[in-house]
Amino acid sequence: MHDDRLTGVCRPIRSPVTRWKSRLSAAAFLSVSLSSCSGVQSALDPAGSEASAVATLFWVMVVGGGVIWLGVIGLMIYASRKSRSLMGEAGASKVIFFGGVAFPVVVLAGLLSYAVWLMPAMRPWFGGEGEGLRRIEVTGEQFWWRVRYLDTSGKVIRESANEVRMPVGERVLFRLKASDVIHSFWIPSIGGKMDAIPGRINELQLMATKPGSYRGVCAEFCGTSHALMAFTVQAMPASELDAWLAAAPAPAVSPNPGGPAPADPAPGLALFLRHGCAACHAIDGTEAEGRIGPDLTRFGQRPTIGAGTLPNTHENLVRFIRAPDQIKPNVRMPAYGMLPEDELAAIAEYLRGLE
Ligand code: CUA
């Protein structure tokens, strides 16, 4: 006898339009989910040893969970059949013990042991304190990242902002600090995140395994512009990084096409100094030595402005200097909308020329 209690009566009446809608939304969901599996900011497209461990654990959990889910659904379908034979009390107790107690205990203990076993790969400080490692100090600020490259004695070799350059195939010790509120330093493609907390230094070891350009983010709500506090990560051969650290920044000078080497400093620098930008920003090789805002040495090399907020173009930079709070709410930098357009343009041109 056919039983339509489960198949017929409760089935919703669906028009072809509804069916198409649900197919389309399923396809959209799938494409969004799959597209987030790759790219410059995906923990599932690992480019670092710690991110690989995280991705492996994720896939083991997904596949294991999927197999168990299929088993449970299969059992449910089996139990809903009317023709099955009745089970005795002893048999039912066995099902409850093995299915409800023994199985979850074994599976969860297995997964926990596996995750604990993977942990040294995700948090390498289990294996040592990181003596002799390259050190990069990163400070979370509202709403940007101060990045300092240190030598083995802890002396600052070079300061930068919103951009981390790290070697490929070499473990790096990140010393994480915060100057105002709690931030969280996270490069999904390279490894797990760690909080940056005012008044203390957290250490995180990461190793990039693939050269490339990646995106890091702040992973702890830290204020209005929390979501506008990203940074770029360049993973490169160690020799290239050492050359970048050792090279003196080229002084920006006024363009003089075809003529002899220009000697005058760029007009943008004079405006930058005259309008007080140097009170907050530093540029190596100039009088600008402010330490409140991001260091702007080699600003022209950075792909973004405002900590990953906008592409580094002339128009965007002029907009940012004119009214930074319209791009990043509650940013600390005052607006310079009172400056004439040609002065804004000259400052932007000068900054973008810093290599
Ligand atoms: Cu810094 Cu969120």
Side-chain angles (χ1 to χ4, degrees), residues 273-291:
L273 296 172
R274 186 180 340 136
H275 293 306
C277 309
C280 294
H281 297 285
I283 298 171
D284 280 7
T286 73
E287 290 162 46
E289 287 176 343
R291 292 277 162 225

Side-chain angles (χ1 to χ4, degrees), residues 141 143 145 182-184 218-222 226 229:
E141 313 255 354
F143 299 92
W145 301 93
I182 300 176
H183 304 268
S184 181
C218 179
E220 175 81 34
F221 182 75
C222 53
H226 153 71
M229 179 173 173

Side-chain angles (χ1 to χ4, degrees), residues 282-308:
I283 298 171
D284 280 7
T286 73
E287 290 162 46
E289 287 176 343
R291 292 277 162 225
I292 296 169
D295 185 292
L296 298 177
T297 310
R298 295 169 171 182
F299 178 83
Q301 292 182 351
R302 295 183 201 156
T304 68
I305 53 177

